Amino acid sequence: MTAMQGSFLKIVVVVLLLLVGAPLIGSLIFNVAAAAYIMQMMGMVSDSQEKAAERRASDFQGVKVVPEGAPGLVALRNFDDFEQTRTVSLNMHMRLTDIRRGDQNAFDANDVEAYLASRLPVLARAECDLIVKAFASKCAVNRVSARPTEDLYQVSMRLTFVQREPFGEVAKAPELNYVEIPLNLNDGDDKSIMTDSWVSQRTRYYDAVAKGCAKIRAQNKNCAIMTLTIASTPQRGSSAIKVNAGARYAILQ
């Protein structure tokens, strides 16, 4: 009999005693103590279940992975499904003309908030199209928002995706190491761009992310794109903005 089964049996016995004996004993103190004991036993069962789940969460296809509880291991095990830790995060300073680019619909300059409410989801879906073209089989919008900052708008998006290329081969070993590899997409310092070149610049970043993972897979036989972060900062005294961009990959070796 396992420890979990033993704990469950204790709970059943105590409940039966309460049902049969409570009318005879009639003691409030006994009932309170018994209830406390039941809660304790239930806590033991819950703890045991949580520990079992943790052990299951530290393996990949039945092979133990270290460190235990590696942050992206769940995403690796659910490689073909959306997973909340696999994200593209964008924080972009844009002019209203950049947000409107390509939009032929009428625009009420006195109600910019209403316009943004209808326009931002369109931009987010277009961003997903860029990601799918570069490295994803599918993409979904988690959230998108914008707030004014002087003469610019700070547009934030959080997207999730499923990687198009397979994870790759995993070495046959008694234990696997989970490793994350960062990549600076600017190859150094922040990049200075004009806001009207946002789309072309992000397209270059997405292509670089795909190429980076292909290079890692060629060396390690497996690679997963975990996160991509692109953020901008306005440059004082200039119409340009500085962009910081980086990606993180995960491998098992």
Side-chain angles (χ1 to χ4, degrees), residues 29-52:
I29 295 176
F30 175 80
N31 286 327
V32 170
Y37 180 73
I38 291 174
M39 294 300 293
Q40 182 182 6
M41 291 300 102
M42 290 178 67
M44 291 173 60
V45 172
S46 178
D47 289 344
S48 178
Q49 290 172 336
E50 288 178 3
K51 289 177 181 178

Side-chain angles (χ1 to χ4, degrees), residues 164-175:
R164 182 171 63 237
E165 296 298 323
F167 179 53
E169 300 177 16
V170 177
K172 294 181 179 179
E175 187 174 275

Side-chain angles (χ1 to χ4, degrees), residues 6-242:
S7 298
F8 180 75
L9 182 58
K10 290 179 181 179
I11 294 173
V12 172
V13 170
V14 172
V15 171
L16 288 175
L17 286 173
L18 284 174
L19 291 174
V20 175
L24 299 176
I25 298 172
S27 171
L28 178 60
I29 295 176
F30 175 80
N31 286 327
V32 170
Y37 180 73
I38 291 174
M39 294 300 293
Q40 182 182 6
M41 291 300 102
M42 290 178 67
M44 291 173 60
V45 172
S46 178
D47 289 344
S48 178
Q49 290 172 336
E50 288 178 3
K51 289 177 181 178
E54 288 175 1
R55 287 193 295 271
R56 290 194 300 272
S58 296
D59 74 83
F60 182 81
Q61 298 178 351
V63 180
K64 181 182 178 182
V65 175
V66 292
E68 287 191 7
L73 189 54
V74 174
L76 296 187
R77 288 203 305 269
N78 298 283
F79 196 77
D80 296 325
D81 299 312
F82 286 118
E83 213 288 318
Q84 62 180 352
T85 60
R86 191 188 296 121
T87 60
V88 175
S89 298
L90 305 172
N91 191 337
M92 306 172 289
H93 286 84
M94 306 173 71
R95 300 186 186 283
L96 187 58
T97 52
D98 304 321
I99 295 174
R100 281 185 44 76
R101 185 167 285 109
D103 184 12
Q104 303 301 320
N105 295 321
F107 169 64
D108 183 358
N110 296 318
D111 195 359
V112 176
E113 288 187 6
Y115 175 75
L116 291 175
S118 63
R119 182 61 178 164
L120 291 178
V122 176
L123 293 182
R125 289 192 294 271
E127 201 67 27
C128 264
D129 291 342
L130 294 178
I131 293 169
V132 167
K133 185 176 180 180
F135 57 77
S137 62
K138 50 188 175 181
C139 172
V141 180
N142 273 359
R143 66 173 182 266
V144 58
S145 63
R147 66 182 182 87
T149 58
E150 297 182 355
D151 59 339
L152 298 171
Y153 284 87
Q154 186 175 344
V155 178
S156 299
M157 297 183 192
R158 183 179 176 89
L159 315 172
T160 58
F161 66 93
V162 175
Q163 185 172 317
R164 182 171 63 237
E165 296 298 323
F167 179 53
E169 300 177 16
V170 177
K172 294 181 179 179
E175 187 174 275
L176 294 168
N177 294 302
Y178 173 93
V179 180
E180 287 195 354
I181 302 173
L183 175 65
N184 184 332
L185 296 173
N186 287 329
D187 295 324
D189 296 336
D190 292 354
K191 190 174 188 66
S192 181
I193 69 169
M194 303 301 291
T195 62
D196 60 1
S197 64
W198 253 127
V199 174
S200 59
Q201 184 60 50
R202 294 197 308 277
T203 300
R204 285 191 285 271
Y205 284 148
Y206 296 150
D207 289 342
V209 169
K211 291 176 181 177
C213 199
K215 183 178 180 180
I216 292 172
R217 190 180 295 105
Q219 297 171 342
N220 187 71
K221 295 188 176 180
N222 62 67
C223 174
I225 303 168
M226 298 304 296
T227 61
L228 169 59
T229 304
I230 301 173
S232 67
T233 304
Q235 290 183 268
R236 292 187 177 279
S238 171
S239 57
I241 56 174
K242 283 189 174 182

